[in-house]
Amino acid sequence: MKFQLKNTIVVLALTTLFVSCSNDDDSSSVVEGTTGDVELYFDNGVAGDALILGNTYTNSNNESLTINRLNYIVSNFVLIKEDGTEFTYPKEESYFVISEEGDLLTVHLEGVPAGDYTKVKFGIGVDQQRYLQGESEQQSFWDLAAQHNLTWTWSTGYRFINFEGTYTSPAVEGEKTFQVHQGSNSATDNYREVTLILPTTARVREDEMPNIHIKTDANVILDGTNKIKLADNINEAQTGSAIMGGENLISIAENTLQMFTVDHVHNGSHTGHRE
């Protein structure tokens, strides 16, 4: 009797585990004409480590960065099905601030047509088309961006990325400040778009909201395909390094195409981010 009871408990436990683990893979039919929500969670890190503001990270340039700020703009979201069909999120609502210090890490998209999506595409920054619509057309987002140190003056526009802190390098004496402010300017359009393949289909239904967990690697801003040394950009007073224009900014814009990868996708009726 005890043996049978133990077997029953084991079977029930395995069944529960199987159902729990399979929940994200269950399929349900698409009801045409219905919509659901999609959530994207941006998990900021540095070369495989979690980003903790105030911590120090050493890159392959042999420079040690103490990161005090990582804020950036993501925009123009497009969800793509396996057959190539695209859903473009309404442009007026498709600009978001991600801020580690402000604890703004989630993008919530509403009214997405029900379906199975295999890719996501989005921009890094604000595109020229949107910027040229003028300040009055985007006042609320401009104010949000300004609140998180992602604007210059209106005439010079947005900072797409604000990456700041202090650093040490064998090439300079003592600790110096650094600022990397990525944005477009009169010389170059530094807005970029990335397309990410989802490791698991994101299933959008009226009662199911996929959560797409995106890992962001701040290390590649300076230490990606293009290697940019902060010490090479130190000011005349030898107090700090600021990169806000020129060829280095173009190189950084190309590096940012490597910043994002999809770690996993959660499907189901749950709401909010799950690890």
Side-chain angles (χ1 to χ4, degrees):
M1 183 68 179
K2 288 183 179 179
F3 179 76
Q4 288 180 329
L5 180 60
K6 285 182 179 179
N7 279 352
T8 301
I9 292 171
V10 169
V11 170
L12 286 173
L14 289 174
T15 301
T16 302
L17 179 62
F18 177 78
V19 170
S20 175
C21 292
S22 301
N23 186 50
D24 279 0
D25 298 322
D26 290 343
S27 60
S28 58
S29 59
V30 176
V31 179
E32 294 298 327
T34 62
T35 62
D37 294 356
V38 174
E39 192 170 87
L40 301 101
Y41 175 75
F42 288 81
D43 184 2
N44 296 318
V46 183
D49 293 326
L51 171 60
I52 300 174
L53 297 181
N55 277 14
T56 301
Y57 307 85
T58 301
N59 60 27
S60 71
N61 298 323
N62 202 22
E63 294 184 329
S64 296
L65 281 63
T66 301
I67 301 169
N68 297 325
R69 172 170 290 154
L70 176 66
N71 299 341
Y72 51 95
I73 296 170
V74 288
S75 60
N76 295 316
F77 282 83
V78 178
L79 294 167
I80 305 169
K81 296 180 181 177
E82 189 172 12
D83 65 2
T85 303
E86 296 186 354
F87 168 70
T88 301
Y89 202 67
K91 190 172 185 64
E92 294 75 18
E93 304 169 22
S94 199
Y95 295 83
F96 303 88
V97 167
I98 302 298
S99 170
E100 186 68 27
E101 62 186 346
D103 198 29
L104 298 177
L105 303 173
T106 302
V107 168
H108 194 92
L109 306 179
E110 299 179 337
V112 177
D116 297 328
Y117 296 91
T118 59
K119 296 179 184 177
V120 61
K121 179 168 66 175
F122 59 89
I124 307 167
V126 176
D127 55 291
Q128 285 290 307
Q129 181 187 11
R130 179 61 170 165
Y131 175 64
L132 292 174
Q133 288 178 344
E135 186 175 3
S136 61
E137 291 295 318
Q138 49 200 297
Q139 189 66 60
S140 60
F141 182 72
W142 175 266
D143 292 344
L144 175 66
Q147 180 184 343
H148 293 282
N149 299 286
L150 287 167
T151 60
W152 285 296
T153 63
W154 175 252
S155 61
T156 47
Y158 292 93
R159 298 180 177 121
F160 302 165
I161 298 174
N162 188 333
F163 183 48
E164 297 182 347
T166 60
Y167 76 98
T168 59
S169 168
V172 298
E173 184 177 345
E175 187 176 61
K176 311 296 180 184
T177 62
F178 77 86
Q179 295 177 309
V180 177
H181 294 170
Q182 166 74 354
S184 290
N185 50 51
S186 58
T188 59
D189 180 3
N190 293 312
Y191 171 80
R192 296 290 184 271
E193 285 188 338
V194 295
T195 300
L196 305 177
I197 297 173
L198 306 182
T200 305
T201 298
R203 194 173 61 243
V204 179
R205 306 289 189 270
E206 278 189 301
D207 59 348
E208 294 185 43
M209 181 186 73
N211 182 287
I212 301 171
H213 185 127
I214 297 174
K215 284 190 174 290
T216 305
D217 184 2
N219 185 66
V220 304
I221 295 173
L222 297 171
D223 191 17
T225 299
N226 302 307
K227 307 294 182 182
I228 295 101
K229 292 185 178 181
L230 291 168
D232 291 344
N233 294 272
I234 199 162
N235 58 24
E236 290 185 6
Q238 299 287 300
T239 58
S241 300
I243 302 173
M244 302 181 188
E247 289 299 318
N248 274 340
L249 204 62
I250 298 172
S251 295
I252 286 170
E254 294 308 309
N255 281 351
T256 61
L257 294 173
Q258 306 166 349
M259 275 181 67
F260 304 98
T261 56
V262 178
D263 187 68
H264 58 269
V265 177
H266 283 304
N267 287 302
S269 60
H270 63 274
T271 59
H273 168 67
R274 295 193 303 176
E275 291 297 336

